[in-house]
Amino acid sequence: MSGITDLSLEKLAVGIRKREFSSVEVLQHYLKAIDEKEDDLNAFITVFAKEALGRAKNVDSSKSKNGKLAGVPIAVKDNISTRGLRTTAGSKIIEEYIPQYDATVVSKLLNGGAIILGKTNMDEFAMGSSTENSAYGPTRNPHDLERVPGGSSGGSAAAVAAGFAPAALGTDTGGSIKQPAAFCGVVGLRPTYGAVSRYGVIALTSSLDQVGTLGRTVTDARYLFDVISGKDRYDATSVERTPTKLVGIKNLRVGLPKEYFGKGLDKKISLRIEKVAEFLEGLGAQVEEISLPHTQYGIAVYYIITPSEVSANLARFDGIRYGYQTRAKDIEELYLKSRGTGFGEEPKRRIILGTFALSSGYTDQFYLKAAKMRTLVSQDFEKAFAKVDVVLTPTTPTTAFKIGEKKDPLSMYLSDIFTIPANLAGLPGLSVPVGEIGGLPVGAQLIGPKFSEELLFSVGELLEKEKWS
């Protein structure tokens, strides 16, 4: 079983189905890895060892092992509802919340035969870029324990990178799958907005949130995506996948946006992405410089739209109906104390920002202007995809930074400067590892038109076959 971590999701499922090894054996391998290293990494908020073992035994005793993931353990980010299993969203305010239903993506995993291994650590309510904002302590990067794994899906990325799970689900609003994937040296897919149901996901920014996949390889990220994607009657924003036509590498047109290669980008990362472009060109692709002129407004737009939606989505956590509640002499004090104590600093910061942006006299000045600028960002990509098939950029401006290094919110927000614009446009993005710099992973981001996931996977597979140095 020593080579179990070398097996793809499909080979794990096929091996269990053919009884080459049991689901219990596979699960025990990952549980052992968690026991040995979890105290150092803090990748999970909750590990469901007992429940997972019971399900694995049921799979092994069943004569028919149906489903693409039959008997395979999968880690799930802790803002995705799991029936009967604690779901905290990384926050104290709902630390004892036990959902009465599964999120649609979890239902699809279970219907596919998967085993829910545990719930991964995350920035509180998915607000952050480092997984330092969790009420349950920071997650550490498996490549360097003094550094962050990225965020907000840092626990999922760290779990896959450390061999705690063969693959994991995360959510991505501004870059919360792609950025930690780059920092941890794994593959991360943020699908087209609407390609995967959001039903049962604790909302951050409803117009941007999307569930995606993290895996050791592009093949695994694709395999898991195939299981969870598709229209859902419980989510009106979800749609059936309409894959775009694949393009052969010799006809592939790759765009390098000049706005992504300026101030703030680590020079070594810039050179690595240029090397990636040269590699694709050597295979026959046509590479050209393009312009996405409204890129510079992405961060500002995101941090008006997101806090505005956050202020509405988190209003339900009031200490009355469920969640953390403190003692108080009247209802007003109850609201103030429960929310003031239950929420961490970052959620409180964004609630205040959003409430201000939506307040009387400021909606037109801030939120509506941001919405208009978001349209311009989307139009930039539409114009670009009239000329190219795929956009290639760095995933992050730097490699993983040290825990506690980012002292002010703005410097933290800038960690997502390359992932936010595509998310504002609702586009799919794939981060693929392209080697290391100074012992720390580097990710290349591939962005495509809506529902071009298969194209991104095809290009991503080419990149991961290369030995980057």
Side-chain angles (χ1 to χ4, degrees), residues 212-423:
T213 63
L214 295 111
R216 292 183 304 107
T217 66
V218 173
T219 298
D220 284 350
R222 168 195 268 141
Y223 196 79
L224 193 54
F225 173 63
D226 286 342
V227 173
I228 66 171
S229 60
K231 187 172 177 58
D232 175 26
R233 65 191 179 98
Y234 295 117
D235 180 2
T237 67
S238 67
V239 296
E240 288 295 348
R241 286 170 61 190
T242 53
T244 56
K245 185 178 180 181
L246 291 181
V247 178
I249 185 63
K250 295 193 183 301
N251 296 313
L252 186 72
R253 300 169 299 169
V254 180
L256 288 175
K258 62 182 182 181
E259 291 81 6
Y260 285 58
F261 292 87
K263 185 179 178 182
L265 174 62
D266 185 305
K267 183 64 177 176
K268 291 180 180 178
I269 292 180
S270 178
L271 292 173
R272 178 59 52 86
I273 302 305
E274 289 174 12
K275 199 171 182 179
V276 172
E278 290 171 3
F279 168 74
L280 291 174
E281 205 166 28
L283 295 178
Q286 302 170 34
V287 178
E288 63 177 281
E289 184 180 80
I290 62 170
S291 178
L292 299 170
H294 295 96
T295 295
Q296 62 180 310
Y297 302 109
I299 291 285
V301 169
Y302 180 83
Y303 282 101
I304 292 173
I305 290 175
T306 288
S308 296
E309 295 190 25
V310 162
S311 69
N313 282 329
L314 297 192
R316 70 196 72 177
F317 303 110
D318 54 14
I320 302 295
R321 290 161 288 186
Y322 54 86
Y324 179 83
Q325 186 181 92
T326 189
R327 292 185 178 183
K329 65 177 184 289
D330 55 36
I331 189 71
E332 183 177 358
E333 184 178 77
L334 179 64
Y335 279 135
L336 292 173
K337 283 190 173 181
S338 296
R339 289 169 65 81
T341 305
F343 284 127
E345 291 304 311
E346 188 62 26
K348 285 190 281 191
R349 180 182 294 115
R350 297 198 196 189
I351 289 169
I352 291 169
L353 283 171
T355 303
F356 176 76
L358 293 177
S359 61
S360 178
Y362 291 100
T363 303
D364 290 351
Q365 186 176 347
F366 293 108
Y367 186 79
L368 292 181
K369 279 188 177 179
K372 291 177 181 178
M373 185 57 69
R374 180 180 182 175
T375 300
L376 294 178
V377 170
S378 298
Q379 289 174 350
D380 283 350
F381 281 102
E382 289 174 8
K383 292 175 183 176
F385 288 126
K387 297 194 299 181
V388 299
D389 303 301
V390 173
V391 173
L392 170 66
T393 80
T395 307
T396 58
T398 67
T399 52
F401 48 86
K402 289 188 175 182
I403 292 173
E405 181 179 324
K406 303 288 185 181
K407 300 296 184 183
D408 65 280
L410 181 58
S411 65
M412 183 70 75
Y413 297 165
L414 289 172
S415 301
D416 295 327
I417 193 168
F418 297 146
T419 56
I420 280 175
N423 290 21

